[in-house]
Amino acid sequence: MTDMIITSFTKSFNRYADVIAGSVVTHLASPKYGELKYIFDKYLIREWYVVDAEAMERHGRDYLLRVAKLNENASSLIHNLLSYADDLKYATCIVFYPSINASGGHYKQFMRPVTVDFTPGYGISSASNSKISRNNCFL
């Protein structure tokens, strides 16, 4: 179970970096929920100005086109990394991504349906484990 999901709207949605925005979603059933709620209730400063909202709306008008491009780029990156994964001279040894792993079905059930304007994808986020001699990439 995921305790929380953090998203930066500054990079993905806004694209111009003239507005700083993000979200945090916590899971009510998480064992850490009470602790996280306490921290956010105590320290989170909720500031959202009209000009920021207007800029986000304006910059988000072509969001679906940009997300489609992000998905396309992520897919290209995955296939590129896969080409190195079996070669011992490269750091990447395993690539985890929904389109190439059995977990893809779990993601697919929550995807938006395909429309004329948008083809859904898995996006991109990454992590690697550098405590071993070769990295596992989670994208």
Side-chain angles (χ1 to χ4, degrees), residues 12-127:
S12 65
F13 190 85
N14 186 41
R15 84 177 166 156
Y16 291 104
D18 58 350
V19 176
I20 297 175
S23 69
V24 177
V25 178
T26 56
H27 196 297
L28 287 169
S30 164
K32 299 281 187 182
Y33 178 77
E35 181 182 349
L36 293 169
K37 183 173 180 351
Y38 171 79
I39 291 168
F40 286 117
D41 286 346
K42 184 172 181 177
Y43 297 106
L44 180 65
I45 300 170
R46 292 173 175 86
E47 293 180 341
W48 189 245
Y49 300 99
V50 172
V51 294
D52 294 336
E54 290 170 344
M56 289 287 280
E57 185 280 326
R58 191 172 51 256
H59 300 163
R61 291 178 189 164
D62 65 346
Y63 180 68
L64 289 180
L65 291 173
R66 288 184 284 119
V67 169
K69 187 62 176 175
L70 287 170
N71 289 332
E72 182 183 320
N73 290 344
S75 181
S76 295
L77 176 61
I78 293 307
H79 288 88
N80 187 10
L81 287 171
L82 279 173
S83 71
Y84 295 105
D86 292 330
D87 193 330
L88 293 175
K89 68 181 177 183
Y90 296 105
T92 299
C93 61
I94 302 171
V95 178
F96 296 95
Y97 194 71
S99 67
I100 61 169
N101 298 116
S103 64
H106 300 295
Y107 292 87
K108 198 164 195 124
Q109 67 182 333
F110 296 103
M111 283 181 154
R112 294 175 60 139
V114 175
T115 66
V116 175
D117 300 322
F118 184 70
T119 301
Y122 299 101
I124 188 164
S125 61
S126 66

